[in-house]
Amino acid sequence: MARLGIIAGAGALPGRIISACRDTGRDFCVLAFEGSADPADYQDVPVQWIRMSRISGAFDAARAEGVDELVMVGKIPRPTVFDLMRDARSAKFLAKVGTRMLGDNNILAAVVKELEETEGFRVIAPETLLGDILAPEGALGSIKPGDADLDDIHRGIVVAREIGRLDIGQAAIVQNGTVLGVEGVEGTDRLIERCAEFVDPALPGGMLVKVAKPGQERRADLPAIGANTVANVARARLRGIAVEAGGALVVDREETVRAADAAGIYVYGIRIAD
């Protein structure tokens, strides 16, 4: 089996991939982004710390160590033009994609293509290693959304897909038909935090909706939720979370569902037709 290179950013997903490799006996090494991945998570694993400004050297080293496949997991900081220009290979990449590097999905799709066509790696999706991580359809826990909630969920899907179409974000917060906020560069946790003051407990509904962007490169940066998302949603007095069935990741599903049930919050997967 090909040696796996784990390109690791912030969050819990890189650790889950490492555990899966250990469980199956798969050989791996980690390419962890400085300033994003937590050094405490990689004390006992083979790891190289990488930067956008020295990315080509990291890939050369990975190839020398026999890495054939790569998986990209965790939140990776958006590179600046200055970062890319400091690395010769990255500068060529920047010149090639030009103004198409407008949003995160455009960047990631271009990166995946470059890794495969120019660097010679094969990029795989996290769910190929973590078979149960994709959100299923329907209620994941004991709590289900009501009719009013479902109306808001459908409204949230329309809004989230529209900002996704513009390559802005993947999430929206809706209550009683009103859009309280949409996700931008700050990410989901900050979205929930800034919308908390607008949540009205006297009104029905109130939920976070996360869906994949239309045309998204699905091997990188699918929307994800976990127990931490549940805690933030509960703190904001929202009533639930809706995610795209088959198009969103639920990290540590048992723990996430247990936390949602304890907080009285639903987690609901909904199928979206293209």
Side-chain angles (χ1 to χ4, degrees), residues 13 16 26 29 35 46 53 73 91 119 192 203 207 214 240 247 263 270:
L13 268 177
R16 304 301 174 267
R26 181 162 190 181
C29 69
S53 59
V73 283
E119 299 293 338
I192 298 169
L203 293 176
M207 76 282 302
I270 186 163

Side-chain angles (χ1 to χ4, degrees), residues 11-18 20 71-74 125-137 140 218 222-226 243-254 256-257 267 269:
L13 268 177
R16 304 301 174 267
I17 298 291
I18 290 170
V71 62
M72 302 170 65
V73 283
E127 60 266 26
T128 64
L129 302 162
L130 303 170
D132 64 346
I133 198 170
L134 283 175
E137 192 168 2
L140 275 66
R218 297 214 164 205
L222 278 182
I225 64 165
V243 293
E244 180 179 350
L249 309 178
V250 182
V251 182
D252 290 331
R253 186 186 300 180
E254 289 186 7
T256 299
V257 171
V267 178

Side-chain angles (χ1 to χ4, degrees), residues 99-265:
T99 57
R100 290 189 293 112
M101 289 184 61
L102 299 175
D104 287 342
N105 187 53
N106 284 334
I107 292 174
L108 289 169
V111 166
V112 169
K113 184 176 181 181
E114 188 75 3
L115 287 172
E116 293 195 323
E117 295 185 359
T118 302
E119 299 293 338
F121 296 104
R122 187 166 78 92
V123 180
I124 62 175
E127 60 266 26
T128 64
L129 302 162
L130 303 170
D132 64 346
I133 198 170
L134 283 175
E137 192 168 2
L140 275 66
S142 61
I143 302 168
K144 298 180 181 180
D147 291 340
D149 296 308
L150 290 172
D151 288 342
D152 275 355
I153 288 171
H154 288 294
R155 169 92 163 130
I157 289 170
V158 171
V159 173
R161 281 178 64 83
E162 188 58 33
I163 65 167
R165 200 180 314 279
L166 297 172
D167 205 2
I168 294 171
Q170 300 171 316
I173 292 178
V174 179
Q175 183 178 28
N176 198 35
T178 299
V179 179
L180 304 186
V182 296
E183 183 184 45
V185 70
E186 83 276 34
T188 303
D189 290 342
R190 293 289 298 277
L191 166 67
I192 298 169
E193 181 182 340
R194 66 179 167 84
C195 287
E197 66 175 296
F198 306 117
V199 177
D200 187 345
L203 293 176
M207 76 282 302
L208 169 72
V209 179
K210 294 196 74 170
V211 301
K213 297 173 181 176
Q216 177 159 349
E217 168 53 69
R218 297 214 164 205
R219 289 171 290 177
D221 196 35
L222 278 182
I225 64 165
N228 185 62
T229 315
V230 170
N232 289 334
V233 162
R235 196 174 299 117
R237 299 173 299 171
L238 294 167
R239 293 185 173 89
I241 301 169
V243 293
E244 180 179 350
L249 309 178
V250 182
V251 182
D252 290 331
R253 186 186 300 180
E254 289 186 7
E255 178 186 352
T256 299
V257 171
R258 188 162 51 245
D261 283 348
I265 288 170

Side-chain angles (χ1 to χ4, degrees), residues 28-135:
F28 70 92
C29 69
V30 177
L31 306 174
F33 272 100
E34 292 183 4
S36 183
D38 185 349
D41 294 336
Y42 305 101
Q43 296 294 319
D44 59 346
V45 300
V47 60
Q48 292 190 46
W49 290 95
I50 62 177
R51 297 178 183 174
M52 285 294 181
S53 59
R54 298 200 303 264
I55 197 72
S56 59
F59 290 140
D60 287 341
R63 192 179 294 105
E65 291 187 16
V67 169
D68 296 311
E69 291 186 339
L70 293 173
V71 62
M72 302 170 65
V73 283
K75 186 67 175 178
I76 296 171
R78 183 188 178 105
T80 66
V81 171
F82 179 72
D83 286 334
L84 295 173
M85 291 300 294
R86 291 176 64 185
D87 180 85
R89 213 175 301 174
S90 297
K92 290 181 180 178
F93 165 71
L94 179 63
K96 184 188 301 184
V97 300
T99 57
R100 290 189 293 112
M101 289 184 61
L102 299 175
D104 287 342
N105 187 53
N106 284 334
I107 292 174
L108 289 169
V111 166
V112 169
K113 184 176 181 181
E114 188 75 3
L115 287 172
E116 293 195 323
E117 295 185 359
T118 302
E119 299 293 338
F121 296 104
R122 187 166 78 92
V123 180
I124 62 175
E127 60 266 26
T128 64
L129 302 162
L130 303 170
D132 64 346
I133 198 170
L134 283 175

